[in-house]
Amino acid sequence: MIQVDDRVRYKNVLGAWEEGVVIKINKTTYRIVNNRNFKVLSIRKDNVEKLEQN
């Protein structure tokens, strides 16, 4: 289960996978911040996967 502050990867509009951190959760989307590109995005839950913690 994905929660706030989890590191995730998400599929962007071009279909490429990028990494980010979850900052908010709604019923249908995750709000994700991509620190590398300084973007805040709302991504549908079916396009988000949790990164494994090492």
Side-chain angles (χ1 to χ4, degrees):
M1 173 150 208
I2 296 175
Q3 299 176 349
V4 173
D5 291 334
D6 282 348
R7 294 196 47 76
V8 295
R9 69 182 198 144
Y10 62 91
K11 194 179 292 188
N12 65 20
V13 293
L14 300 176
W17 288 96
E18 296 189 34
E19 293 184 11
V21 177
V22 175
I23 57 175
K24 186 177 179 184
I25 299 173
N26 305 12
K27 290 181 181 179
T28 58
T29 63
Y30 292 114
R31 183 72 47 93
I32 297 172
V33 62
N34 181 323
N35 293 328
R36 191 180 61 187
N37 297 334
F38 304 106
K39 293 189 228 175
V40 175
L41 306 134
S42 289
I43 306 292
R44 289 181 35 199
K45 290 187 176 187
D46 54 344
N47 291 329
V48 177
E49 296 178 352
K50 186 172 182 178
L51 290 176
E52 295 299 321
Q53 300 294 329
N54 292 341

